[in-house]
């Protein structure tokens, strides 16, 4: 007698959806967002190996040149001017881009791992375990990220790791809620019932069958979270919790510009515009991916 093999392929509700999605052209807003995010990522990676300074990366970040202090934009060798210590604004923005992207990426990764785990477990183990996990999520979600970061900074010290932990802890409840909601829908499908007939455990079903079906929804949420993370990271750096000197940060550049706004307004304008553009780029990508991956949005 020949044994019947367990079906292992993930079965979507709409088999034609991937092909239709490939045929659908990308919206202009999504293209602009992807281009913006790609540019920020390129600049961030480049700043780790090269900065527009004659002395190299170390000289650009650590050397102070009082003779060049507060030079206005479009000065020779300084397209965006210099700060009160004679440091080039372009150099500061480039390296701050790298630091910000690193922090929000690590924070989002922590939130993704913790949130997805809790969300899947809550969806698969109903009853008291689900209620306990989701009430824990609600409690964490009620704590403001800035307050959490300040408490961590008081205990652990102000550092990049403190900001990463604060972002991860504050954002994982959002991921957990989204994952659980999507997983509850997927677990009622026929192929999940078929997997149960073969005696597969809840953990196996969640990892092998449910997670691939909800991953697109989670990734969209992670992209939107990264946009919010830029603002949170800048706020924490402004308060002195995040990236520490001499490494630059958009938020700390804004803080340092306060004493010089009357004399050198470009010190606050440059990082402010950069933050706005970065948040806009990630939001455009998140909204564009959500519209593209949503079946209802594609069918209309």
């Amino acid at each position: 007698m020949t044994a019947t093999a367990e079906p292992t392929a993930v079965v979507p509700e709409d088999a034609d959806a991937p092909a239709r999605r490939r045929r659908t052209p990308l919206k202009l807003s999504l293209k602009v967002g992807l281009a913006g995010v790609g540019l920020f990522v390129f600049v961030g990676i480049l700043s780790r190996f090269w900065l527009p300074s004659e002395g190299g990366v170390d000289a650009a970040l650590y050397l102070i040149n009082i003779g060049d202090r507060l030079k206005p934009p479009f000065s020779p060798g300084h397209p965006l001017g210099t700060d009160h210590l004679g440091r080039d604004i372009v150099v500061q923005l480039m390296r701050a881009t790298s630091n910000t992207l690193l922090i929000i990426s690590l924070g989002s990764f922590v939130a993704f791992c913790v949130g997805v785990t809790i969300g899947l477990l809550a969806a698969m183990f109903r009853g008291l375990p689900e209620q306990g996990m989701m009430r824990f999520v609600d409690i964490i979600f009620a704590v403001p990220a800035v307050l959490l970061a300040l408490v961590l900074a008081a205990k652990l010290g102000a550092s990049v790791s403190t900001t990463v932990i604060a972002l991860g802890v504050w954002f994982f409840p959002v991921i957990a809620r989204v994952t659980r909601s999507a997983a509850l829908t997927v677990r009622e499908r026929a192929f999940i019932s078929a997997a149960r007939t073969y005696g597969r455990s809840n953990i196996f079903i969640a990892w092998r069958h449910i997670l691939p079906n909800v991953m697109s929804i989670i990734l969209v949420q992670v992209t939107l979270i990264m946009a919010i993370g830029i603002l949170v990271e800048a706020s924490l750096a402004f308060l002195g919790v995040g990236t520490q000197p001499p490494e630059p940060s958009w938020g700390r550049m804004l803080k340092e510009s306060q004493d010089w706004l009357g004399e050198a307004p470009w010190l606050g304008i440059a990082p402010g515009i950069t933050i706005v553009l970065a948040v806009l780029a990630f939001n455009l990508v998140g909204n564009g991916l959500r519209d593209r991956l949503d079946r209802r949005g594609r069918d209309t």
Side-chain angles (χ1 to χ4, degrees), residues 165-195:
I165 295 173
L167 290 177
V169 172
W170 196 58
F171 285 137
F172 88 78
V174 179
I175 302 295
R177 287 178 169 183
V178 171
T179 303
R180 172 181 171 272
S181 177
L184 287 175
T185 301
V186 175
R187 75 190 296 271
E188 302 301 327
R189 296 183 184 177
F191 66 92
I192 299 297
S193 300

Side-chain angles (χ1 to χ4, degrees), residues 106-124 130 133-134 136-138 140-141 165 167-184 206-207 210-211 214-215 217-219 221-222 225:
L106 292 176
S108 299
F109 179 74
V110 172
F112 173 85
C113 294
V114 178
V116 167
T117 301
I118 293 178
L120 288 177
L121 292 177
M124 299 307 297
E130 177 190 24
M133 285 184 283
M134 297 314 297
F136 170 72
V137 166
D138 292 340
I140 298 298
F141 189 71
I165 295 173
L167 290 177
V169 172
W170 196 58
F171 285 137
F172 88 78
V174 179
I175 302 295
R177 287 178 169 183
V178 171
T179 303
R180 172 181 171 272
S181 177
L184 287 175
W207 175 260
I210 293 182
L211 182 58
V214 302
M215 183 60 72
I217 300 175
I218 298 173
L219 292 180
Q221 191 63 49
V222 169
I225 278 177

Side-chain angles (χ1 to χ4, degrees), residues 125-257:
F125 297 94
R126 308 300 301 276
L128 186 59
E130 177 190 24
Q131 293 299 319
M133 285 184 283
M134 297 314 297
R135 296 299 76 77
F136 170 72
V137 166
D138 292 340
I139 293 173
I140 298 298
F141 189 71
V143 180
V146 175
L147 177 60
L148 177 63
L150 293 176
V151 172
L152 291 175
K155 296 294 184 180
L156 305 177
S159 64
V160 170
S161 59
T162 299
T163 306
V164 170
I165 295 173
L167 290 177
V169 172
W170 196 58
F171 285 137
F172 88 78
V174 179
I175 302 295
R177 287 178 169 183
V178 171
T179 303
R180 172 181 171 272
S181 177
L184 287 175
T185 301
V186 175
R187 75 190 296 271
E188 302 301 327
R189 296 183 184 177
F191 66 92
I192 299 297
S193 300
R196 293 186 187 280
T197 62
Y198 286 90
R200 296 304 185 184
S201 65
N202 284 334
I203 299 298
F204 179 88
I205 292 174
W207 175 260
R208 180 62 183 84
H209 296 290
I210 293 182
L211 182 58
N213 275 280
V214 302
M215 183 60 72
S216 60
I217 300 175
I218 298 173
L219 292 180
V220 169
Q221 191 63 49
V222 169
T223 305
L224 296 173
I225 278 177
M226 294 181 74
I228 303 174
I230 294 174
L231 295 175
V232 176
E233 189 276 336
S235 301
L236 296 177
F238 187 90
L239 297 174
V241 176
T243 306
Q244 298 300 300
E247 287 290 336
S249 170
W250 294 337
R252 198 173 68 253
M253 291 177 69
L254 287 175
K255 179 178 178 60
E256 293 175 349
S257 70

